[in-house]
Amino acid sequence: MKLEVIQNKIFEIRGCKVMLDFDLALLYNVETRVLKQAVRRNNNRFPEDFMFELTEIELTSLRSQIVTLKNNGRGQHSKYLPFAFTEQGIAMLSSVLNSEKAIEINISIIRAFVTMRQFTLSYSELKTRIEEIESQFPDIYKALNYLVDKSSNTPKERTKIGYKK
């Protein structure tokens, strides 16, 4: 499974990086209702920091971000609010679903979460270093900002010099 495909299915909700039950069901190649039933049967394995149910407002907000969720049509989508699984909740899913496919997909998903976390850390370190450099050379930083601002302004049309035909 490509990491990009998985990373595109990771959302930030309530300050947590999560994946939704219907996306996970698609990856695991099971029906969403089957995944939800397995989770409900093992509810004690999924505390609030592993999995939570979206509110109607969160779902509506999510619908505006992703096209795959539709409001119309009978039976097209679950009448129940989706579950959102954190990284730990996804790891727990492999023990609940207990299939080779679930284990294989979970490994890919965990790798995607780790890759995203490493990128975030690298970005934070880079930002800190740039801020340090800016504070060491404030005059150069001001000059660069001036040049960037000056070049972003659209140049005015200049009067042509020479013979006019």
Side-chain angles (χ1 to χ4, degrees), residues 11 44 73 77 83 93 103 117 122 127 145 147 150 154:
F11 300 97
N44 59 335
H77 299 287
F83 291 154
L93 272 176
I103 293 168
R117 194 175 310 112
S122 298
K127 183 180 175 191
N145 276 338
L147 291 172
K150 189 176 179 181
T154 54

Side-chain angles (χ1 to χ4, degrees), residues 95-135:
S95 66
V96 171
L97 295 175
N98 201 19
S99 71
E100 288 299 317
K101 180 76 170 176
I103 293 168
E104 176 188 327
I105 294 299
N106 269 21
I107 290 169
S108 297
I109 291 171
I110 298 302
R111 285 182 177 148
F113 272 97
V114 169
T115 302
M116 289 178 70
R117 194 175 310 112
Q118 288 172 341
F119 173 76
T120 303
L121 290 174
S122 298
Y123 176 77
S124 298
E125 290 173 10
L126 183 61
K127 183 180 175 191
T128 304
R129 286 183 181 177
I130 290 172
E131 288 171 351
E132 288 173 6
I133 291 170
E134 288 173 359
S135 66

Side-chain angles (χ1 to χ4, degrees), residues 1-3 6-7 10 17 19 24 27-28 85-94 102-118:
M1 175 73 40
K2 287 189 173 187
L3 290 181
I6 295 170
Q7 287 173 336
I10 297 174
K17 300 275 189 210
M19 290 185 74
L24 288 164
L27 292 171
Y28 294 140
F85 292 88
T86 64
E87 184 177 353
Q88 295 84 0
I90 293 167
M92 187 60 73
L93 272 176
S94 65
I103 293 168
E104 176 188 327
I105 294 299
N106 269 21
I107 290 169
S108 297
I109 291 171
I110 298 302
R111 285 182 177 148
F113 272 97
V114 169
T115 302
M116 289 178 70
R117 194 175 310 112
Q118 288 172 341

